[in-house]
């Protein structure tokens, strides 16, 4: 099941997140991992994807993010990462069996229709796609078979937050 949230974060939190990511990207000591360590079935022949896992140094912004996610969804946040997909990168079909749900929030201010990088998912044997639009949240309750289409040459880097969620909140059931 897929649920869309337009303008997921408040504008203040959204801008704080973008500033935090910009600071991470310009800080030469920030540890971004790459998709080289991913299992072969997930990375395919994609170009490298940068991935940053939130840690204790991000506690302030992470608390703000977690509060908004948990107030808008039926789930608790387990882990969160930043994904940066440059041109010629993609993520193969998978279903995130390790979590109850996954939430993606797109951070690009603009995204051209021709740039690719769409979230694609299979619903009742029909392939559907979602364009990565500014501050759009997409909640996938597992299992949902999905992928990210190739980010095309000439596109901006596709920047998103990815949260893996656990345990349905009892008061929300």
């Amino acid at each position: 099941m897929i649920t869309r949230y337009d303008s997921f974060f408040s504008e203040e939190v959204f801008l704080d997140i973008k500033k935090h990511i910009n600071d991470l990207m310009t800080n030469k000591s920030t540890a971004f991992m790459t998709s080289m360590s991913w299992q072969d079935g997930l990375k395919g022949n994609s170009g490298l994807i940068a991935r940053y896992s939130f840690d204790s140094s991000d506690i302030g912004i992470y608390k703000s993010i977690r509060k908004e996610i948990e107030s808008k969804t039926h789930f608790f946040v387990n882990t969160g990462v930043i994904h940066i997909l440059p041109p010629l990168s993609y993520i193969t079909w998978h279903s995130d069996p390790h979590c109850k749900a996954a939430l993606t929030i797109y951070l690009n201010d603009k995204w051209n229709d021709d740039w690719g990088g769409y979230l694609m998912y299979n619903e009742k044997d029909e392939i559907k796609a979602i364009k990565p639009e500014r501050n759009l949240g997409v909640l996938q309750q597992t299992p949902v078979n999905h992928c990210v289409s190739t980010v095309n040459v000439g596109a901006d880097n596709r920047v998103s937050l990815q949260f893996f969620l656990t345990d349905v909140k009892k008061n929300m059931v």
Side-chain angles (χ1 to χ4, degrees), residues 50-61:
R51 179 181 175 115
Y52 175 83
S53 295
F54 288 100
D55 62 26
S56 59
S57 67
D58 308 299
I59 196 71
I61 193 71

Side-chain angles (χ1 to χ4, degrees), residues 1-169:
M1 182 170 138
I2 298 285
T3 306
R4 291 176 57 117
Y5 298 86
D6 294 320
S7 301
F8 188 87
F9 290 118
S10 67
E11 188 65 15
E12 178 183 355
V13 170
F14 184 82
L15 294 175
D16 286 348
I17 293 166
K18 290 194 54 133
K19 181 185 180 317
H20 186 74
I21 292 172
N22 187 56
D23 291 347
L24 290 171
M25 290 173 62
T26 57
N27 181 346
K28 297 201 184 303
S29 65
T30 300
F32 276 87
M33 304 292 287
T34 69
S35 53
M36 282 182 66
S37 63
W38 292 2
Q39 61 197 21
D40 288 337
L42 191 57
K43 64 184 175 182
N45 292 314
S46 173
L48 292 179
I49 296 169
R51 179 181 175 115
Y52 175 83
S53 295
F54 288 100
D55 62 26
S56 59
S57 67
D58 308 299
I59 196 71
I61 193 71
Y62 192 75
K63 280 184 177 180
S64 297
I65 292 168
R66 187 175 179 166
K67 181 180 178 183
E68 288 209 25
I69 291 171
E70 291 180 358
S71 72
K72 292 179 181 173
T73 72
H74 299 288
F75 298 95
F76 293 106
V77 174
N78 186 26
T79 58
V81 298
I82 300 164
H83 279 158
I84 302 172
L85 281 76
L88 299 179
S89 63
Y90 63 92
I91 301 174
T92 62
W93 287 95
H94 64 286
S95 63
D96 295 327
H98 63 284
C99 62
K100 298 281 186 188
L103 175 68
T104 302
I105 300 110
Y106 301 104
L107 300 177
N108 293 79
D109 284 325
K110 63 179 173 47
W111 196 259
N112 185 295
D113 291 343
D114 293 327
W115 287 354
Y118 282 67
L119 169 68
M120 297 171 55
Y121 62 99
N122 189 328
E123 185 176 87
K124 298 178 184 171
D125 293 325
E126 182 180 344
I127 303 298
K128 297 186 176 186
I130 297 175
K131 179 181 174 182
E133 296 176 320
R134 183 186 195 274
N135 203 11
L136 172 66
V138 179
L139 178 71
Q140 303 171 68
Q141 294 185 51
T142 57
V144 172
N145 203 27
H146 62 282
C147 70
V148 176
S149 68
T150 304
V151 177
N152 294 327
V153 172
D156 290 346
N157 289 336
R158 178 187 182 272
V159 183
S160 64
L161 298 177
Q162 182 72 49
F163 293 93
F164 298 104
L165 311 176
T166 185
D167 298 330
V168 174
K169 291 191 256 179

